[in-house]
Amino acid sequence: MLQLIDLHLHLPGTVRAHTLAELATKNGVELPMPADHLYPRINSDPTEEEKGKGPWFPLLRVYELISASLRTREDFSRVVYEALEDGLRNSNLCYAELAFSPSVHMQAGVEYKEMAAGISDGFARARETLGVDGRAIAAVNREDSGQVAVQLVETVIEHSNDDIVGIGLDFYELAGMPEKFAEAFHLAGEHKLYRTAHAGEHAPTAETVATAIDLLGCDRIDHGYQILRDPKIVERCAELGTVFNVAFTTSRRALIQWRKDSVAAMVEAGLRISINSDDPALFPTTLRREMDLASEVVPGKTEAWFVSNSIDAAFISDVDKRRLRNRVLGG
């Protein structure tokens, strides 16, 4: 079975229910119900029929509870290791990039250097015991101000870490459009940090994709489905070879047909995409399941094509990309 790569994986979205239960108890976080009951009730947009069967909890509310439960270096190390362990067991994962939101934890009193050290510990243990490699992306919370984003990037630069290699832009797209974070992303680029952003996911325009590339200097795009609204931007991204990190099972308990149709149209239009799991513990899904869906949605492309795109888009050096390609695809 082909080894897989996951480039769009949110750390809170990988936390096992029983791990959340233990960490919440340890760190004094009160959950609204037991974690194994909470996870199946993540539903940001319940139907009229479902509304009477609540309570339901928006994804970002559960993110907040999970983030509040991560307090120590050991907590971060544990969840990083478990994310890679689950990826290996469920999907034959060999490499992943985990996004985390430092400002959320910092506001709760966690020092950046503690979370960074824990993340590195988790990666080191996974490399040694699982043979799975990874890197981390410090994501800007788009609900923060532009100045807070700059401060975050400054903190990442000050506490340079070989495992934290890039800057992202996460959470609900309409809460903070990309131009708000231009200064932060420019600073990241000056210090050779890779850059990515959620764009073209919620905002009904292709312009956010163009802005993320042109103004923020993003090396790749997370999601990006709304790019289909502008054929000229589609054509330009196809010429650039921009990789879009897509996932089918996101933000709802059920698959969205529109998402599947959009991914198929993106590939048909000549865009490069990688397949990812996003929040596999919360919906639930696995990278293997997402890849199987991709084979159904885009039957003309092989798994090797998707994985090759992932390797090209990975936030690692060209030397490491060659090594990864040799390991996974044989050259």
Side-chain angles (χ1 to χ4, degrees), residues 44-56:
S44 299
D45 190 18
T47 64
E48 287 301 319
E49 180 181 357
E50 289 172 330
K51 286 178 181 178
K53 300 177 182 179
W56 302 105

Side-chain angles (χ1 to χ4, degrees), residues 203-327:
T205 173
E207 288 299 327
T208 57
V209 173
T211 302
I213 294 170
D214 296 334
L215 186 61
L216 302 191
C218 286
D219 304 287
R220 66 192 194 209
I221 298 294
D222 294 316
H223 295 299
Y225 319 106
Q226 302 285 356
I227 192 175
L228 295 168
R229 292 176 178 270
D230 191 324
K232 290 184 178 179
I233 297 178
V234 170
E235 182 179 3
R236 179 167 170 243
C237 287
E239 291 175 353
L240 290 172
T242 303
V243 174
F244 292 79
N245 294 334
V246 308
F248 296 105
T249 313
T250 61
S251 301
R252 296 172 189 260
R253 293 181 300 113
L255 285 169
I256 307 172
Q257 186 62 40
W258 171 83
R259 178 69 53 85
K260 296 167 72 174
D261 294 341
S262 296
V263 171
M266 290 168 75
V267 175
E268 185 177 358
L271 296 175
R272 301 175 69 196
I273 65 172
S274 72
I275 302 301
N276 308 276
S277 65
D278 208 357
D279 298 293
L282 303 185
F283 291 121
T285 189
T286 65
L287 180 57
R288 178 70 262 165
R289 177 175 180 267
E290 298 298 299
M291 187 65 79
D292 289 343
L293 285 167
S295 297
E296 297 174 10
V297 172
V298 193
K301 298 296 184 182
T302 65
E303 288 187 9
W305 183 77
F306 295 116
V307 172
S308 180
N309 290 340
S310 295
I311 294 171
D312 286 344
F315 286 171
I316 52 179
S317 69
D318 288 342
V319 171
D320 287 336
K321 287 181 181 181
R322 285 194 293 271
R323 290 173 179 160
L324 186 57
R325 185 175 294 277
N326 287 332
R327 173 182 175 180

Side-chain angles (χ1 to χ4, degrees), residues 15 21 30 60 77 92 120 130 139-140 149 172 178 183 199 201 206 209 215 221 249 270 286 307 310:
V15 176
E30 183 177 355
L60 295 184
S77 176
N92 202 26
S120 286
L130 303 175
V140 171
Y172 185 54
E183 183 180 356
E201 182 184 13
V209 173
L215 186 61
I221 298 294
T249 313
T286 65
V307 172
S310 295

Side-chain angles (χ1 to χ4, degrees), residues 67-68 71 103-110:
S67 298
R71 296 291 179 86
S103 71
V104 174
H105 303 289
M106 292 163 73
Q107 289 167 8
V110 182

Side-chain angles (χ1 to χ4, degrees), residues 53-133:
K53 300 177 182 179
W56 302 105
F57 298 90
L59 172 64
L60 295 184
R61 171 56 180 151
V62 180
Y63 260 41
E64 290 173 358
L65 292 168
I66 296 171
S67 298
S69 300
L70 299 176
R71 296 291 179 86
T72 68
R73 176 173 179 166
E74 292 73 22
D75 296 342
F76 282 90
S77 176
R78 174 181 178 177
V79 296
V80 166
Y81 179 84
E82 290 182 352
L84 300 185
E85 184 179 46
D86 288 346
L88 175 62
R89 180 181 63 249
N90 298 328
S91 305
N92 202 26
L93 180 76
C94 69
Y95 177 83
E97 293 182 358
L98 289 161
F100 70 111
S101 301
S103 71
V104 174
H105 303 289
M106 292 163 73
Q107 289 167 8
V110 182
E111 292 188 12
Y112 176 83
K113 63 182 181 181
E114 286 299 302
M115 63 183 92
I119 288 169
S120 286
D121 291 345
F123 280 136
R125 183 181 167 206
R127 292 181 188 116
E128 180 179 355
T129 65
L130 303 175
V132 179
D133 197 7

